Amino acid sequence: MRQAERMSRIGVETAFDVLLQARKLEAQGRDIVHLEIGEPDFPTPHHIIEAAQKALDDGWTHYGPTQGFPDVRESIAGYVSRTRAISVGPENVCVVPGGKPIIFFSILALVDHGDEVIYPNPGFPIYESMIRFAGGVPVPMPLIEKRGFSLDLDLLRSKINERTRLVILNSPENPTGGVIPAEDVRAIANLVRGRDLMVLSDEIYSRMWYEEAPVSVASFPEMKEQTIILDGFSKTYAMTGWRMGYGVMPEWLAESVNKLMVNSNSCTASFSQRAAIAALDGPQEEAERMIAEFRRRRDDFCAGLNSIPGFRCALPGGAFYAFPNIEGTGLGSREMAHRLLHEAGVACLSGTAFGEYGDGYVRFSYAASLENLMEAVRRIGEFVGRLPSPLARQEMPVG
Ligand code: PLP
């Protein structure tokens, strides 16, 4: 049966495919260390679960308002105002099922055929997928390892023109763990301020940082009117399965997002929304413990990776991903990821799953126990040790 042409332009997320392959190998009796999927390996804090259980008992099991319950939006607006040093109200908040729908809806609402969208590359694959799906022109913004995976501001300046409709930022970033320095964010704000374009600032990892706190572009003068902040509960509170996220945006855009919501989801699950209040306004210790644990794992895991010949891993400033450069091993990214899974029993993603500028890298999620991370380092080290040296590989006859 013929499908709509637009379906030829939509992409997928490789992490879910690799997870499936890894599960198949496990079903055949193989032991796999899972470092492919981007979700915290911690339970949702118990007081949040209790709030959801109570909400179910109290009958929060029906439709709610499309934009989200007013008190939930109030709580989110308070949190965003506090953490970004801006003043936003419940009218600016759209509650949606997870962070992803904000990418989907913002792009559908803003991007027409031929409009250009600048997005980070390597970056979350859904950006490019959705830009293409909407008929937009993806304009990749390469991230630079030497700049802590921030971007080249002169290059960004050269890419902005009258067709640019949207600039996507993501800090801390998936897959690199990079945090855009405050000075760069200020410079980006200066570049885009007053132009007829919006910024989608994906801040889903905003609480997961280890040295320099990420700064929202919305915090700079006049930028609130030009920014969509994406944030949510999946990562910070280990709530990936609850499907709770939100966007904070000017009211004119919130109206459009509401229309897209009513045409797709009607509303976000009512009991998940009640639990979200407990997450934001309740104790934060468990979330903070989880982040402290990620920092410990980051330090040990990256040190382990850097001890492997041919691996060079910059210390990520945030999120829970390590993005080592593996060019020194002589293997390409896809081959490395494939062989690590099949020959070493370590599931990870090729850097190219995040765009062409991810070539030469692989992504590991360190949302796994320290024991598993160290076992992964051991297995990768052994695997790399069995490879012919890059020089020997070059000299090997082809075929
Ligand atoms: N944005 C980025 C950069 C992500 O890495 C993810 C999830 O991996 C999301 C958005 C989506 O989060 P959610 O699971 O809440 O839809």
Side-chain angles (χ1 to χ4, degrees):
M1 188 69 82
R2 191 173 62 85
Q3 291 198 53
E5 177 275 331
R6 73 177 73 86
M7 289 311 294
S8 66
R9 289 184 269 118
I10 201 161
V12 288
E13 222 186 314
T14 312
F16 291 101
D17 294 342
V18 174
L19 178 64
L20 208 68
Q21 280 177 45
R23 293 266 183 255
K24 270 195 197 145
L25 290 172
E26 284 174 320
Q28 293 162 15
R30 295 282 309 279
D31 180 55
I32 307 290
V33 181
H34 287 275
L35 304 183
E36 74 279 42
I37 203 89
E39 70 172 341
D41 57 320
F42 292 86
T44 303
H46 200 69
H47 71 278
I48 302 175
I49 293 177
E50 277 174 356
Q53 282 166 338
K54 181 168 184 318
L56 286 168
D57 285 339
D58 292 349
W60 294 92
T61 52
H62 297 276
Y63 290 135
T66 296
Q67 193 166 347
F69 290 111
D71 56 347
V72 177
R73 288 188 286 120
E74 191 80 57
S75 177
I76 292 170
Y79 171 77
V80 171
S81 299
R82 279 194 307 280
T83 49
R84 274 71 170 188
I86 51 177
S87 165
V88 294
E91 66 282 4
N92 301 114
V93 178
C94 294
V95 178
V96 293
K100 253 184 196 170
I102 291 298
I103 303 172
F104 201 91
F105 295 156
S106 308
I107 291 176
L108 282 186
L110 292 170
V111 178
D112 266 327
H113 271 267
D115 286 344
E116 295 187 3
V117 182
I118 300 174
Y119 69 104
N121 189 322
F124 191 44
I126 302 306
Y127 305 143
E128 186 177 332
S129 164
M130 276 310 300
I131 298 164
R132 288 189 192 284
F133 189 63
V137 179
V139 179
M141 188 64 221
L143 302 183
I144 299 157
E145 185 186 339
K146 273 207 293 282
R147 300 201 73 227
F149 291 109
S150 185
L151 33 87
D152 177 333
L153 295 166
D154 291 331
L155 192 62
L156 175 63
R157 185 178 296 109
S158 74
K159 285 178 187 276
I160 297 174
N161 61 46
E162 64 287 352
R163 289 182 304 280
T164 310
R165 194 72 196 96
L166 188 65
V167 174
I168 303 179
L169 302 177
N170 176 211
S171 173
E173 214 241 0
N174 176 9
T176 64
V179 174
I180 307 176
E183 274 320 297
D184 285 9
V185 183
R186 179 192 302 280
I188 295 167
N190 290 341
L191 274 180
V192 301
R193 184 181 294 108
R195 285 179 175 267
D196 185 22
L197 62 80
M198 293 292 289
V199 179
L200 170 59
S201 183
D202 185 339
E203 302 177 11
I204 196 94
Y205 298 101
S206 58
R207 295 272 289 275
M208 298 177 161
W209 54 271
Y210 309 112
E211 273 93 29
E212 185 183 344
V215 174
S216 176
V217 69
S219 312
F220 291 93
E222 295 159 50
M223 283 308 296
K224 198 177 74 177
E225 292 311 313
Q226 253 181 281
T227 306
I228 305 143
I229 297 176
L230 177 164
D231 204 344
F233 298 77
S234 299
K235 316 286 176 176
T236 305
Y237 300 103
M239 289 173 69
T240 46
W242 295 65
R243 309 315 297 141
M244 259 305 297
Y246 56 85
V248 178
M249 62 198 81
E251 273 180 88
W252 60 266
L253 187 56
E255 248 176 65
S256 297
V257 167
N258 287 342
K259 285 182 190 158
L260 290 164
M261 262 299 275
V262 88
N263 276 273
S264 51
N265 296 286
S266 296
C267 65
T268 304
S270 297
F271 53 90
S272 285
Q273 290 193 56
R274 305 320 297 169
I277 297 187
L280 283 187
D281 298 345
Q284 300 297 307
E285 285 78 6
E286 276 191 68
E288 279 154 18
R289 259 200 303 279
M290 179 171 79
I291 294 162
E293 180 58 27
F294 282 143
R295 180 200 299 266
R296 241 190 314 277
R297 293 174 185 180
R298 172 197 75 148
D299 291 348
D300 290 2
F301 185 54
C302 292
L305 289 178
N306 277 321
S307 73
I308 299 170
F311 273 60
R312 181 182 71 225
C313 186
L315 202 61
F320 42 72
Y321 306 109
F323 200 63
N325 182 304
I326 50 116
E327 282 165 339
T329 64
L331 293 192
S333 305
R334 282 196 189 86
E335 184 180 358
M336 176 64 84
H338 182 83
R339 292 183 64 181
L340 283 181
L341 176 60
H342 291 269
E343 295 176 35
V346 177
C348 68
L349 303 182
S350 164
T352 51
F354 301 91
E356 67 263 45
Y357 294 99
D359 201 11
Y361 300 84
V362 289
R363 189 198 79 170
F364 298 102
S365 159
Y366 51 83
S369 70
L370 199 52
E371 192 190 348
N372 280 354
L373 290 167
M374 289 301 116
E375 173 60 14
V377 168
R378 194 190 62 74
R379 291 184 188 189
I380 299 165
E382 260 183 29
F383 168 76
V384 171
R386 289 196 300 271
L387 293 174
S389 81
L391 211 60
R393 282 171 64 85
Q394 277 166 22
E395 285 164 3
M396 267 194 318
V398 180

